[in-house]
Amino acid sequence: MISILSFIVVIGICVISHEFGHYITAKACGVQVHEFSFGMGPVLWKHKIERTLWSVRAFPIGGFVRLAGMEEEQPGENVIPGKGFNDKKAWQRFLILFNGPLVNVFLAIILTAFFLSGHGVVNMTSTAVGSIMENLPAQAEGLQAGDLILSVNGESVSNWVEMARSIREAASTGPVTLEIEREGARFKKTISIPFNSTYGAALLGVRPPFVRYGAFTALKNAFSYTVSMSIEMIQGIIRWALRAQDVEVTGPIGIATMAGEAAKQGIWTFISFLALINLNLGLINLFPFPALDGGRLVFILGEIATRKRLPERVENYIHFVGFVLLISLILFITWKDISRIFSL
């Protein structure tokens, strides 16, 4: 039950924010909106405000904003002259499509900043010691929280990853000499760091400090983190598409399972998971594939570049084929998720 509820919360926030990006931009550009819906399938609830129908549907696996003039009019719906999506200039149509994924990416940044300021993370950007592990060489040699490790066997180190790697490599050849700064004073310690079978490596026994950032620093770091994660995700999608690397892909059932696990681990884990899913949704929707926002953006960019527009019937057919392929892919991934869960 917790997986289902967590899934609905995650998908609800991601989908509603995404579609709201489309909706608010469409309204700003003077496009008539027929319907704003969360979910697919039969309508469970609906309410009309002015000319827009707000609805909740039976299957919480997506949502949509139905814009006037996109050949999706239902009986009794009319398009006000000049208010159709295709009546608008190319740059306006581009913004309407682009701002859906953009809101997801923006929300991912805000959630990440909230996580960094409210929960915090280990600080791997320096070599400052946050805490000392018991019954390991660091404790025996008197290292303390707040110590700054400046060098390993005479080689300067500037961040935690570099320091840890240097210590492991040096420990394999004999005692390790550390240069340490404590309260402004510098001194050296030569420490024997034996192989630790419990951890599977030579372990000094120090942990990095845990840090919470102020609002501005958290927002700046969240932006940097989101950019780095975006690059990694795009590279992963390309490698998966080219079959250059095995990348684990999951569908609605897999997301529901992961959402449930994240919720069980606490609110902060759930928030970080929600940020990751929003970023995924934003980037995937910008992928230049027919039926996705990115595919439609490609057609608009082509129109801007050539000053010629592809006939609507042709473009709609291309997007329909893309939609069928996407649904087929989702069904295939869902079957793999089911097989994985039940070991079929």
Side-chain angles (χ1 to χ4, degrees):
M1 178 59 71
I2 191 170
S3 292
I4 295 173
L5 292 176
S6 301
F7 173 76
I8 292 174
V9 170
V10 169
I11 295 301
I13 292 174
C14 292
V15 168
I16 291 173
S17 59
H18 178 97
E19 299 303 337
F20 184 76
H22 292 314
Y23 170 81
I24 197 69
T25 312
K27 295 291 285 185
C29 291
V31 174
Q32 181 183 348
V33 181
H34 288 314
E35 184 176 0
F36 186 117
S37 176
F38 170 59
M40 299 291 187
V43 175
L44 299 179
W45 174 88
K46 61 182 179 180
H47 180 68
K48 196 163 189 176
I49 302 176
E50 295 180 347
R51 293 181 177 271
T52 302
L53 180 69
W54 299 80
S55 66
V56 176
R57 296 174 179 258
F59 305 112
I61 54 173
F64 59 87
V65 168
R66 193 158 49 82
L67 303 178
M70 297 187 73
E71 298 187 3
E72 295 179 351
E73 275 68 37
Q74 295 182 358
E77 291 181 340
N78 298 310
V79 181
I80 300 173
K83 293 279 189 178
F85 175 78
N86 290 314
D87 295 330
K88 300 303 175 180
K89 296 178 180 179
W91 67 267
Q92 292 176 306
R93 286 181 277 122
F94 184 94
L95 285 179
I96 292 170
L97 294 172
F98 183 75
N99 282 358
L102 182 63
V103 169
N104 286 123
V105 175
F106 178 74
L107 182 57
I109 294 173
I110 296 300
L111 288 169
T112 302
F114 183 59
F115 180 89
L116 293 176
S117 61
H119 179 266
V121 291
V122 291
N123 183 11
M124 307 288 282
T125 62
S126 76
T127 58
V129 175
S131 60
I132 305 296
M133 300 170 69
E134 293 185 355
N135 304 318
L136 288 169
Q139 185 183 50
E141 293 293 334
L143 269 67
Q144 300 176 12
D147 286 350
L148 186 65
I149 298 175
L150 303 175
S151 68
V152 178
N153 282 356
E155 296 290 331
S156 296
V157 288
S158 59
N159 60 64
W160 194 270
V161 174
E162 184 183 6
M163 180 196 71
R165 183 176 60 249
S166 298
I167 290 174
R168 282 196 303 269
E169 292 174 353
S172 65
T173 62
V176 179
T177 300
L178 303 177
E179 184 181 5
I180 301 168
E181 181 178 311
R182 179 185 296 167
E183 296 179 352
R186 293 188 179 190
F187 58 93
K188 292 183 179 180
K189 276 188 176 289
T190 300
I191 307 173
S192 294
I193 308 175
F195 179 85
N196 189 300
S197 58
T198 302
Y199 294 96
L203 198 66
L204 175 61
V206 293
R207 292 192 181 101
F210 202 80
V211 58
R212 290 186 180 92
Y213 297 105
F216 178 77
T217 304
L219 193 60
K220 183 179 69 173
N221 289 347
F223 179 81
S224 300
Y225 171 80
T226 302
V227 170
S228 299
M229 280 298 298
S230 298
I231 293 171
E232 289 184 23
M233 286 180 185
I234 293 169
Q235 290 174 341
I237 292 172
I238 293 172
R239 287 194 296 267
W240 174 75
L242 298 176
R243 296 191 174 183
Q245 179 181 339
D246 288 334
V247 178
E248 187 173 346
V249 180
T250 190
I253 292 178
I255 293 174
T257 303
M258 290 187 291
E261 290 300 317
K264 291 175 184 176
Q265 292 177 36
I267 184 63
W268 292 113
T269 303
F270 187 74
I271 287 173
S272 65
F273 177 76
L274 181 58
L276 188 63
I277 294 298
N278 265 284
L279 184 59
N280 266 281
L281 180 61
L283 294 179
I284 289 173
N285 265 281
L286 287 174
F287 207 69
F289 188 85
L292 294 176
D293 293 327
R296 296 180 184 275
L297 289 172
V298 168
F299 284 98
I300 295 178
L301 289 174
E303 177 188 341
I304 293 172
T306 63
R307 296 187 179 182
K308 291 182 180 179
R309 191 170 180 178
L310 201 65
E312 286 183 33
R313 183 172 297 179
V314 175
E315 183 178 341
N316 288 339
Y317 177 77
I318 293 172
H319 291 311
F320 174 76
V321 173
F323 178 77
V324 171
L325 291 174
L326 283 174
I327 293 298
S328 300
L329 178 61
I330 291 172
L331 291 174
F332 173 71
I333 293 172
T334 300
W335 170 250
K336 288 188 67 177
D337 286 341
I338 295 172
S339 300
R340 189 184 304 119
I341 292 171
F342 295 101
S343 301
L344 298 179

